[in-house]
Amino acid sequence: MFREYFFLLLLGHILGEFYIQTRKMAEKKEKSIKWVLIHCLCYCGIMILLCAPIMSSEIALAVTMASLLHLIIDLVKFTYLLSIAKKDKLTQVIERNVFFVD
């Protein structure tokens, strides 16, 4: 059962992170925390929609945890990249590394 839940949540993550998020949204969320929050709401929404047919308390908890962790990670990423950019030390290498950690 764990394997099925894992693949379902992975599919939701891929859809929410790479297919639902437009390029414009990705650019805007680099500059505004409002767009980070909008992206995270879209992410949570797609996870709920994807898991709705088999919703149980376990799935609801997993979706909630995944969405909250995604929000925390994106907020930390936003704050970190903003602070690096203010110091004028943001490079493509740093952006790549942050992407892979994310």
Side-chain angles (χ1 to χ4, degrees):
M1 193 70 107
F2 175 78
R3 180 189 286 173
E4 290 83 9
Y5 288 172
F6 175 78
F7 284 117
L8 189 63
L9 292 171
L10 181 62
L11 176 62
H13 178 76
I14 291 168
L15 289 173
E17 191 69 34
F18 300 108
Y19 289 96
I20 301 301
Q21 176 178 243
T22 63
R23 180 177 297 275
K24 202 176 228 182
M25 185 186 290
E27 290 169 359
K28 287 181 179 182
K29 79 176 200 176
E30 290 177 4
K31 297 175 177 67
S32 170
I33 199 162
K34 172 183 140 183
W35 284 97
V36 173
L37 297 174
I38 290 170
H39 163 69
C40 288
L41 284 174
C42 292
Y43 179 91
C44 182
I46 198 67
M47 293 288 275
I48 290 170
L49 286 174
L50 189 65
C51 295
I54 59 162
M55 193 58 75
S56 67
S57 60
E58 294 167 335
I59 290 289
L61 179 62
V63 166
T64 302
M65 293 303 295
S67 297
L68 284 174
L69 285 172
H70 188 81
L71 173 64
I72 291 166
I73 289 168
D74 275 6
L75 288 174
V76 168
K77 178 181 166 184
F78 172 79
T79 305
Y80 176 72
L81 289 176
L82 191 64
S83 70
I84 295 293
K86 283 183 181 177
K87 295 175 186 173
D88 212 20
K89 297 188 183 230
L90 187 60
T91 64
Q92 287 183 343
V93 172
I94 290 173
E95 285 187 89
R96 182 202 62 210
N97 291 344
V98 168
F99 172 79
F100 282 117
V101 168
D102 178 21

